[in-house]
Amino acid sequence: MKAKIVMPKEKKKKGEAVKVLALTVVFGMVVFSGLSLVFINSGSNAQDSYLNSEGNSGSPPSTSTVPCLVPGVAIKQEFKLHLAISVDGKPQGIPSGIGVSSSCTSEITTIDSSGTINIKAQDDRQYTLGDFFTVWGQSFYLPGYGIKMMVNGKSSSELENLVLAKNQQISLTYSSSTTQ
């Protein structure tokens, strides 16, 4: 007959906490080891970087300050806003799946191609439009293009520094020197 070892509840809870911590560390190492730098396409036709872009198929670029959601951690803020982009008068789609991969769901994502940006954060930090472009893997600026920004129907000069907020309506109009 084998002796069964019975641990007091306190030691059992401590052991479970250690296991959870170890799993969290391993998960974090796996997620962060998958991060890679994203090099922005600086081809001759800047418009192509938006026309031919797809959702970020990997984790947010390592230069991003936008973390991946951690399973089991409470969401502290959750909201949506809308972004519309046009280049030389042509509307540009914003791909679905930005910020979502098999190894990471970023705190900034797109679920569909409607231009809706989803913020689901586990802390109180403020994100900017520049953070969204970083997660997307696209440059905010297009060489040879001027930018006009409208936020909720009003002109704004905040550009990539615009703090994202619930129900914002953001419009970016890029115009080349030949169309200005």
Side-chain angles (χ1 to χ4, degrees), residues 40-53 84-93 133 136-148 159-160 172-180:
I40 306 304
N41 177 7
S42 59
S44 59
N45 188 354
Q47 184 175 348
D48 284 343
S49 67
Y50 291 106
L51 288 173
N52 298 324
S53 65
I85 298 174
S86 68
V87 177
D88 285 336
K90 297 177 186 172
Q92 305 296 304
F133 275 81
W136 184 4
Q138 296 294 321
S139 175
F140 183 83
Y141 295 97
L142 297 175
Y145 286 75
I147 304 172
K148 180 179 178 184
L159 301 176
E160 76 273 24
L172 297 176
T173 304
Y174 293 85
S175 300
S176 66
S177 55
T178 59
T179 61
Q180 290 182 355

Side-chain angles (χ1 to χ4, degrees), residues 51-87:
L51 288 173
N52 298 324
S53 65
E54 295 178 8
N56 184 10
S57 61
S59 301
S62 62
T63 56
S64 175
T65 58
V66 181
C68 298
L69 292 171
V70 178
V73 176
I75 302 298
K76 287 196 172 186
Q77 58 176 324
E78 185 172 2
F79 60 91
K80 296 179 181 186
L81 59 131
H82 187 266
L83 173 64
I85 298 174
S86 68
V87 177

